[in-house]
Structure formats: C-alpha cells, structure tokens
Amino acid sequence: MPELDLDAIPQTNTTGYPAPFDAPVAGRWYRRLAPVGGLTEMGASHVVLKPGGWSSQRHWHDDEDELLVMLTGEAVLIEDSGRTVLKPGDICAWPMGNTNGHHLINESDTDCSFVAIGAGNQDGTGGYSDIDMMFDAEGYCRRDGTRYPAKRAR
Amino acid sequence: MPELDLDAIPQTNTTGYPAPFDAPVAGRWYRRLAPVGGLTEMGASHVVLKPGGWSSQRHWHDDEDELLVMLTGEAVLIEDSGRTVLKPGDICAWPMGNTNGHHLINESDTDCSFVAIGAGNQDGTGGYSDIDMMFDAEGYCRRDGTRYPAKRAR
C-alpha cells in the first residue's frame, strides 16, 4: 500500500551521537519511511518531538538537500540567523552545502510532529554548528579528525 | 530563509497535458518549492486541489521516487487496487518503476492541500494508467510513439 501505516512502523529514539551530544535528542521519536515505502532516491522520516526534544544537534549537509514539513504542534527553528516558530503546514528547505546549521527544538508543553526528507548523498558529510563534531558515512569525528567511538545512526 | 514564504511563491495551474487530458487538472494550483528553496536533488510542490480537481492524470514514474504528505482537507487516492481517503498527516510513498498508477481527486466541497516530493531522474519517463499517453523529458506521446503537440510542464 502506498499509504503508509504509520502505526505499523516501529518508532525509535536511537541515535549514534556520542555522549553528551545524544542527550538532547532523547525526546526525538522517529519512523524511517523510505525503507517501508520502497524509496531509494530519498530518505524520509516521520518525527515526533516530545516537549524539550531537539530534532538533532544543529547541523548542515555538504551533499544532501533537506525539506521539512510541519504536521502538528509547534517547534522553534534555530539557525545562525535566529529563531523562527514553525506551525502546521510550514515548510523549510535547506540546500546542500549551506553551512548555516539548523535544528528544531520543541519548547512547547505538547508533542509536535513533522516529516523530514533528504535527497542527494545519503552517505554524505556535514557538520555541527555548536559543537566540535563533523559527520561522514562512518560516524562522527572532531574538527581535528579524531574519531568519536559511536557509530552514526541509520 | 529556509522557512519558505508560501504566499510569496507564485501559484499556477499550468499543465503541459494535451487536451482533453488537461481539463481535470485545471483545479490543481501548485507552487514549485525546490527552485525557491535552492534544492536540486529533489523536486517539491505545494499543491492546493480545488473541489473536483485532480492532482494529475493517474500515472507512475519509471525512475523517480515520490512521497506525498497531506496537509489539509481530504482527497481520494485512486490506484489499480482501489480508493483510499487521505486526511491531514497521511503520507504516501510511490517507488519508481511500480506501474500501479496513482492520483488524488478532491471529491469534497472544500479545498485540500498537500506537499509532493520527487527524487531520482527529474527528466525521466513514465506512463498513465487510464489514457493513451506516456511522458519523457521532451513531453508526451501515445503508446505507439507518436507525439502529442503539447510540451511537458516544468
């Protein structure tokens, strides 16, 4: 069935982030949609952010475009340029290679949800704006190239 | 700004479909999001379907994955396998090469809206389930290969 049965897709809050960068995303509960939907040219996740939850560490992709569609609730988008409150129906686009990192934080007292889509190099590279971390297909490293022990979550 | 200002993006109901196949999509008002958002690895459209409007002729893509996120209102998804009513928050995935064609029809008496995303070969090929038409990067042809005069809409 092309209509995805969200309730039947396992939800997880797993992350490959090394401590202590993993703690802020503990309230991010996501479902990977592309494998279930048979899609190979894009990645897509349905994400529920619990109150206080972060969508990710603030990051950018070198070689993958991102699109986000807000479904329910409210989240604050944070970037170099400041804060923007996102509401249902709002859409964000982040072109690959733009190093103005972004993430969403649920500062409200109820869940919010969104769909995040990525296309390009799904094993690509990128970085994090606020912490000493970069990512690549293998996992995470510091800016000086030394590796973190954790593996990148898939 | 990564948050797209939908109101500032021109909305059009243009189609490259040759007559009489263009008439059912006259109530499809869309905004192309990828050019405004600077995205090159995916196509994305915000679509408003007026009552009676079709999202497209019932079609499939040979080499492009599609994802759809319902935002507001209600539409009926039609495929070989039957009819499914879609509501806000519903998500559909259509993998490239699956010839079970799909489209949405707004059978309600109010507007509905959704976001449609495509990734893969954006100049690719595909076909239509219910009419004698195929598409490619140049436009439209019959199954016997003879061309229709209209150009494919971009």
Side-chain angles (χ1 to χ4, degrees):
Chain A
M1 277 295 297
E3 190 197 350
L4 302 176
D5 182 357
L6 289 177
D7 293 336
I9 303 174
Q11 199 179 34
T12 176
N13 72 340
T14 301
T15 178
Y17 287 169
F21 307 132
D22 54 347
V25 299
R28 173 189 64 177
W29 288 87
Y30 59 94
R31 296 176 166 97
R32 294 280 190 226
L33 305 180
V36 176
L39 307 183
T40 55
E41 295 294 316
M42 66 178 96
S45 296
H46 178 276
V47 183
V48 174
L49 277 191
K50 299 287 179 189
W54 295 19
S55 63
S56 66
Q57 292 284 346
R58 195 158 76 89
H59 75 288
W60 73 86
H61 292 267
D62 294 325
D63 45 9
E64 189 173 7
D65 284 339
E66 283 186 281
L67 189 83
L68 181 143
V69 181
M70 280 299 289
L71 291 179
T72 62
E74 205 172 286
V76 180
L77 163 65
I78 299 180
E79 301 170 290
D80 290 347
S81 41
R83 298 161 51 88
T84 310
V85 175
L86 301 180
K87 301 189 173 180
D90 285 347
I91 304 169
C92 298
W94 296 285
M96 62 173 73
N98 183 335
T99 59
N100 178 359
H102 63 273
H103 66 170
L104 272 60
I105 299 182
N106 182 353
E107 296 183 359
S108 80
D109 55 9
T110 54
D111 291 0
C112 69
S113 66
F114 57 85
V115 179
I117 300 112
N121 185 356
Q122 296 183 42
D123 289 320
T125 59
Y128 297 89
S129 308
D130 304 322
I131 58 177
D132 183 14
M133 193 161 84
M134 312 286 283
F135 68 85
D136 56 31
E138 302 307 314
Y140 304 92
C141 65
R142 296 175 187 81
R143 287 183 210 287
D144 68 9
T146 59
R147 310 294 307 181
Y148 286 105
K151 292 281 182 195
R152 184 169 164 192
R154 289 284 159 197
Chain B
M1 278 294 295
E3 190 197 352
L4 301 177
D5 181 358
L6 289 177
D7 292 336
I9 303 174
Q11 198 180 35
T12 177
N13 72 339
T14 301
T15 178
Y17 288 169
F21 307 133
D22 54 348
V25 299
R28 174 190 65 180
W29 289 88
Y30 59 93
R31 295 177 168 95
R32 294 281 189 229
L33 305 180
V36 177
L39 308 183
T40 55
E41 294 295 315
M42 65 177 96
S45 295
H46 178 277
V47 183
V48 174
L49 276 191
K50 299 289 178 186
W54 295 18
S55 64
S56 66
Q57 291 285 343
R58 195 158 76 87
H59 75 287
W60 73 86
H61 291 266
D62 294 326
D63 44 10
E64 188 172 7
D65 284 340
E66 282 187 281
L67 189 82
L68 181 142
V69 181
M70 279 299 289
L71 292 179
T72 62
E74 203 173 286
V76 180
L77 164 65
I78 300 180
E79 302 170 291
D80 290 349
S81 42
R83 296 162 52 90
T84 309
V85 175
L86 300 180
K87 300 188 176 183
D90 285 347
I91 304 170
C92 298
W94 296 285
M96 62 173 74
N98 183 335
T99 59
N100 178 359
H102 63 273
H103 65 169
L104 273 59
I105 299 182
N106 182 353
E107 298 184 357
S108 80
D109 55 9
T110 54
D111 291 0
C112 70
S113 67
F114 57 85
V115 178
I117 300 111
N121 184 356
Q122 297 184 41
D123 288 319
T125 59
Y128 297 90
S129 307
D130 305 320
I131 57 178
D132 184 13
M133 193 162 84
M134 312 288 282
F135 66 85
D136 57 31
E138 302 306 313
Y140 304 93
C141 65
R142 296 176 186 80
R143 288 182 210 289
D144 68 9
T146 59
R147 311 294 305 183
Y148 285 107
K151 291 283 181 196
R152 186 169 164 192
R154 290 286 156 195

PDB file of all heavy atoms in Angstrom, chain A residues 112-135:
ATOM      1  N   CYS A 112       5.108  17.787  19.152  1.00  0.00           N
ATOM      2  CA  CYS A 112       4.928  18.306  17.795  1.00  0.00           C
ATOM      3  C   CYS A 112       5.419  17.222  16.847  1.00  0.00           C
ATOM      4  O   CYS A 112       6.100  16.271  17.262  1.00  0.00           O
ATOM      5  CB  CYS A 112       5.672  19.623  17.573  1.00  0.00           C
ATOM      6  SG  CYS A 112       7.464  19.481  17.569  1.00  0.00           S
ATOM      7  N   SER A 113       5.042  17.326  15.566  1.00  0.00           N
ATOM      8  CA  SER A 113       5.484  16.307  14.607  1.00  0.00           C
ATOM      9  C   SER A 113       5.747  16.949  13.253  1.00  0.00           C
ATOM     10  O   SER A 113       5.190  18.000  12.915  1.00  0.00           O
ATOM     11  CB  SER A 113       4.454  15.185  14.476  1.00  0.00           C
ATOM     12  OG  SER A 113       3.259  15.661  13.905  1.00  0.00           O
ATOM     13  N   PHE A 114       6.620  16.307  12.501  1.00  0.00           N
ATOM     14  CA  PHE A 114       6.975  16.793  11.166  1.00  0.00           C
ATOM     15  C   PHE A 114       7.491  15.630  10.335  1.00  0.00           C
ATOM     16  O   PHE A 114       7.797  14.554  10.858  1.00  0.00           O
ATOM     17  CB  PHE A 114       8.012  17.916  11.241  1.00  0.00           C
ATOM     18  CG  PHE A 114       9.290  17.566  11.962  1.00  0.00           C
ATOM     19  CD1 PHE A 114      10.327  16.938  11.301  1.00  0.00           C
ATOM     20  CD2 PHE A 114       9.445  17.868  13.311  1.00  0.00           C
ATOM     21  CE1 PHE A 114      11.501  16.611  11.971  1.00  0.00           C
ATOM     22  CE2 PHE A 114      10.617  17.541  13.992  1.00  0.00           C
ATOM     23  CZ  PHE A 114      11.650  16.917  13.323  1.00  0.00           C
ATOM     24  N   VAL A 115       7.574  15.861   9.025  1.00  0.00           N
ATOM     25  CA  VAL A 115       8.223  14.925   8.108  1.00  0.00           C
ATOM     26  C   VAL A 115       9.483  15.597   7.599  1.00  0.00           C
ATOM     27  O   VAL A 115       9.452  16.773   7.207  1.00  0.00           O
ATOM     28  CB  VAL A 115       7.307  14.549   6.931  1.00  0.00           C
ATOM     29  CG1 VAL A 115       8.017  13.604   5.974  1.00  0.00           C
ATOM     30  CG2 VAL A 115       6.025  13.912   7.439  1.00  0.00           C
ATOM     31  N   ALA A 116      10.601  14.878   7.632  1.00  0.00           N
ATOM     32  CA  ALA A 116      11.875  15.382   7.128  1.00  0.00           C
ATOM     33  C   ALA A 116      12.310  14.496   5.966  1.00  0.00           C
ATOM     34  O   ALA A 116      12.289  13.263   6.074  1.00  0.00           O
ATOM     35  CB  ALA A 116      12.936  15.360   8.218  1.00  0.00           C
ATOM     36  N   ILE A 117      12.669  15.142   4.849  1.00  0.00           N
ATOM     37  CA  ILE A 117      13.059  14.412   3.640  1.00  0.00           C
ATOM     38  C   ILE A 117      14.469  14.854   3.231  1.00  0.00           C
ATOM     39  O   ILE A 117      14.777  16.044   3.289  1.00  0.00           O
ATOM     40  CB  ILE A 117      12.080  14.727   2.484  1.00  0.00           C
ATOM     41  CG1 ILE A 117      10.664  14.310   2.869  1.00  0.00           C
ATOM     42  CG2 ILE A 117      12.500  14.023   1.199  1.00  0.00           C
ATOM     43  CD1 ILE A 117       9.731  15.447   3.066  1.00  0.00           C
ATOM     44  N   GLY A 118      15.285  13.905   2.836  1.00  0.00           N
ATOM     45  CA  GLY A 118      16.619  14.218   2.348  1.00  0.00           C
ATOM     46  C   GLY A 118      16.851  13.550   1.011  1.00  0.00           C
ATOM     47  O   GLY A 118      16.401  12.420   0.782  1.00  0.00           O
ATOM     48  N   ALA A 119      17.544  14.244   0.116  1.00  0.00           N
ATOM     49  CA  ALA A 119      17.904  13.644  -1.176  1.00  0.00           C
ATOM     50  C   ALA A 119      19.287  14.132  -1.571  1.00  0.00           C
ATOM     51  O   ALA A 119      19.649  15.278  -1.334  1.00  0.00           O
ATOM     52  CB  ALA A 119      16.888  14.007  -2.254  1.00  0.00           C
ATOM     53  N   GLY A 120      20.027  13.247  -2.185  1.00  0.00           N
ATOM     54  CA  GLY A 120      21.417  13.534  -2.556  1.00  0.00           C
ATOM     55  C   GLY A 120      22.256  12.359  -2.093  1.00  0.00           C
ATOM     56  O   GLY A 120      21.868  11.207  -2.262  1.00  0.00           O
ATOM     57  N   ASN A 121      23.386  12.679  -1.483  1.00  0.00           N
ATOM     58  CA  ASN A 121      24.270  11.624  -0.996  1.00  0.00           C
ATOM     59  C   ASN A 121      23.881  11.221   0.425  1.00  0.00           C
ATOM     60  O   ASN A 121      24.205  11.905   1.385  1.00  0.00           O
ATOM     61  CB  ASN A 121      25.713  12.102  -1.026  1.00  0.00           C
ATOM     62  CG  ASN A 121      26.681  11.013  -0.639  1.00  0.00           C
ATOM     63  OD1 ASN A 121      26.288   9.902  -0.262  1.00  0.00           O
ATOM     64  ND2 ASN A 121      27.964  11.319  -0.729  1.00  0.00           N
ATOM     65  N   GLN A 122      23.167  10.110   0.533  1.00  0.00           N
ATOM     66  CA  GLN A 122      22.674   9.693   1.843  1.00  0.00           C
ATOM     67  C   GLN A 122      23.792   9.142   2.741  1.00  0.00           C
ATOM     68  O   GLN A 122      23.566   8.894   3.927  1.00  0.00           O
ATOM     69  CB  GLN A 122      21.525   8.671   1.696  1.00  0.00           C
ATOM     70  CG  GLN A 122      20.307   9.291   1.008  1.00  0.00           C
ATOM     71  CD  GLN A 122      19.115   8.345   0.908  1.00  0.00           C
ATOM     72  OE1 GLN A 122      18.780   7.619   1.839  1.00  0.00           O
ATOM     73  NE2 GLN A 122      18.461   8.338  -0.251  1.00  0.00           N
ATOM     74  N   ASP A 123      24.942   8.938   2.161  1.00  0.00           N
ATOM     75  CA  ASP A 123      26.121   8.567   2.962  1.00  0.00           C
ATOM     76  C   ASP A 123      27.122   9.714   3.008  1.00  0.00           C
ATOM     77  O   ASP A 123      28.337   9.495   3.080  1.00  0.00           O
ATOM     78  CB  ASP A 123      26.788   7.320   2.377  1.00  0.00           C
ATOM     79  CG  ASP A 123      25.961   6.077   2.601  1.00  0.00           C
ATOM     80  OD1 ASP A 123      25.395   5.935   3.701  1.00  0.00           O
ATOM     81  OD2 ASP A 123      25.880   5.249   1.678  1.00  0.00           O
ATOM     82  N   GLY A 124      26.616  10.913   2.952  1.00  0.00           N
ATOM     83  CA  GLY A 124      27.472  12.063   2.784  1.00  0.00           C
ATOM     84  C   GLY A 124      28.045  12.611   4.077  1.00  0.00           C
ATOM     85  O   GLY A 124      28.034  11.951   5.118  1.00  0.00           O
ATOM     86  N   THR A 125      28.520  13.857   3.961  1.00  0.00           N
ATOM     87  CA  THR A 125      29.221  14.502   5.061  1.00  0.00           C
ATOM     88  C   THR A 125      28.521  15.806   5.445  1.00  0.00           C
ATOM     89  O   THR A 125      27.686  16.325   4.721  1.00  0.00           O
ATOM     90  CB  THR A 125      30.667  14.819   4.656  1.00  0.00           C
ATOM     91  OG1 THR A 125      30.636  15.683   3.512  1.00  0.00           O
ATOM     92  CG2 THR A 125      31.428  13.547   4.308  1.00  0.00           C
ATOM     93  N   GLY A 126      28.907  16.298   6.609  1.00  0.00           N
ATOM     94  CA  GLY A 126      28.372  17.568   7.085  1.00  0.00           C
ATOM     95  C   GLY A 126      28.952  17.895   8.434  1.00  0.00           C
ATOM     96  O   GLY A 126      29.872  17.207   8.914  1.00  0.00           O
ATOM     97  N   GLY A 127      28.429  18.932   9.042  1.00  0.00           N
ATOM     98  CA  GLY A 127      28.986  19.359  10.312  1.00  0.00           C
ATOM     99  C   GLY A 127      27.935  19.903  11.244  1.00  0.00           C
ATOM    100  O   GLY A 127      26.761  20.022  10.881  1.00  0.00           O
ATOM    101  N   TYR A 128      28.412  20.197  12.452  1.00  0.00           N
ATOM    102  CA  TYR A 128      27.543  20.697  13.512  1.00  0.00           C
ATOM    103  C   TYR A 128      28.019  22.081  13.919  1.00  0.00           C
ATOM    104  O   TYR A 128      29.224  22.317  14.083  1.00  0.00           O
ATOM    105  CB  TYR A 128      27.561  19.724  14.692  1.00  0.00           C
ATOM    106  CG  TYR A 128      27.005  18.378  14.293  1.00  0.00           C
ATOM    107  CD1 TYR A 128      27.832  17.381  13.776  1.00  0.00           C
ATOM    108  CD2 TYR A 128      25.646  18.131  14.367  1.00  0.00           C
ATOM    109  CE1 TYR A 128      27.322  16.166  13.366  1.00  0.00           C
ATOM    110  CE2 TYR A 128      25.124  16.911  13.953  1.00  0.00           C
ATOM    111  CZ  TYR A 128      25.962  15.936  13.457  1.00  0.00           C
ATOM    112  OH  TYR A 128      25.447  14.743  13.035  1.00  0.00           O
ATOM    113  N   SER A 129      27.080  22.989  14.088  1.00  0.00           N
ATOM    114  CA  SER A 129      27.403  24.406  14.271  1.00  0.00           C
ATOM    115  C   SER A 129      27.907  24.731  15.662  1.00  0.00           C
ATOM    116  O   SER A 129      28.725  25.643  15.822  1.00  0.00           O
ATOM    117  CB  SER A 129      26.151  25.246  14.001  1.00  0.00           C
ATOM    118  OG  SER A 129      25.583  24.910  12.756  1.00  0.00           O
ATOM    119  N   ASP A 130      27.413  24.015  16.677  1.00  0.00           N
ATOM    120  CA  ASP A 130      27.610  24.459  18.061  1.00  0.00           C
ATOM    121  C   ASP A 130      28.542  23.558  18.861  1.00  0.00           C
ATOM    122  O   ASP A 130      28.797  23.834  20.036  1.00  0.00           O
ATOM    123  CB  ASP A 130      26.253  24.524  18.775  1.00  0.00           C
ATOM    124  CG  ASP A 130      25.261  25.418  18.040  1.00  0.00           C
ATOM    125  OD1 ASP A 130      25.699  26.465  17.521  1.00  0.00           O
ATOM    126  OD2 ASP A 130      24.069  25.049  17.969  1.00  0.00           O
ATOM    127  N   ILE A 131      29.003  22.475  18.269  1.00  0.00           N
ATOM    128  CA  ILE A 131      29.839  21.510  18.992  1.00  0.00           C
ATOM    129  C   ILE A 131      30.995  21.074  18.099  1.00  0.00           C
ATOM    130  O   ILE A 131      30.940  21.253  16.868  1.00  0.00           O
ATOM    131  CB  ILE A 131      29.011  20.269  19.435  1.00  0.00           C
ATOM    132  CG1 ILE A 131      28.368  19.584  18.228  1.00  0.00           C
ATOM    133  CG2 ILE A 131      27.959  20.680  20.464  1.00  0.00           C
ATOM    134  CD1 ILE A 131      27.588  18.317  18.563  1.00  0.00           C
ATOM    135  N   ASP A 132      31.990  20.493  18.695  1.00  0.00           N
ATOM    136  CA  ASP A 132      33.179  20.070  17.948  1.00  0.00           C
ATOM    137  C   ASP A 132      32.925  18.699  17.334  1.00  0.00           C
ATOM    138  O   ASP A 132      33.430  17.672  17.810  1.00  0.00           O
ATOM    139  CB  ASP A 132      34.395  20.036  18.883  1.00  0.00           C
ATOM    140  CG  ASP A 132      35.676  19.673  18.129  1.00  0.00           C
ATOM    141  OD1 ASP A 132      35.661  19.717  16.877  1.00  0.00           O
ATOM    142  OD2 ASP A 132      36.672  19.347  18.799  1.00  0.00           O
ATOM    143  N   MET A 133      32.107  18.673  16.273  1.00  0.00           N
ATOM    144  CA  MET A 133      31.754  17.391  15.672  1.00  0.00           C
ATOM    145  C   MET A 133      31.426  17.600  14.194  1.00  0.00           C
ATOM    146  O   MET A 133      30.858  18.617  13.801  1.00  0.00           O
ATOM    147  CB  MET A 133      30.571  16.759  16.424  1.00  0.00           C
ATOM    148  CG  MET A 133      30.315  15.304  16.080  1.00  0.00           C
ATOM    149  SD  MET A 133      29.311  14.434  17.333  1.00  0.00           S
ATOM    150  CE  MET A 133      27.655  14.864  16.830  1.00  0.00           C
ATOM    151  N   MET A 134      31.821  16.605  13.402  1.00  0.00           N
ATOM    152  CA  MET A 134      31.503  16.520  11.981  1.00  0.00           C
ATOM    153  C   MET A 134      30.964  15.107  11.757  1.00  0.00           C
ATOM    154  O   MET A 134      31.204  14.214  12.569  1.00  0.00           O
ATOM    155  CB  MET A 134      32.760  16.711  11.123  1.00  0.00           C
ATOM    156  CG  MET A 134      33.641  17.902  11.497  1.00  0.00           C
ATOM    157  SD  MET A 134      32.917  19.471  11.012  1.00  0.00           S
ATOM    158  CE  MET A 134      33.278  19.457   9.244  1.00  0.00           C
ATOM    159  N   PHE A 135      30.260  14.884  10.648  1.00  0.00           N
ATOM    160  CA  PHE A 135      29.822  13.519  10.354  1.00  0.00           C
ATOM    161  C   PHE A 135      30.205  13.109   8.944  1.00  0.00           C
ATOM    162  O   PHE A 135      30.390  13.951   8.059  1.00  0.00           O
ATOM    163  CB  PHE A 135      28.323  13.326  10.594  1.00  0.00           C
ATOM    164  CG  PHE A 135      27.419  14.075   9.647  1.00  0.00           C
ATOM    165  CD1 PHE A 135      27.065  13.542   8.411  1.00  0.00           C
ATOM    166  CD2 PHE A 135      26.893  15.304   9.998  1.00  0.00           C
ATOM    167  CE1 PHE A 135      26.210  14.221   7.545  1.00  0.00           C
ATOM    168  CE2 PHE A 135      26.039  15.999   9.143  1.00  0.00           C
ATOM    169  CZ  PHE A 135      25.707  15.453   7.911  1.00  0.00           C
TER     170      PHE A 135
END
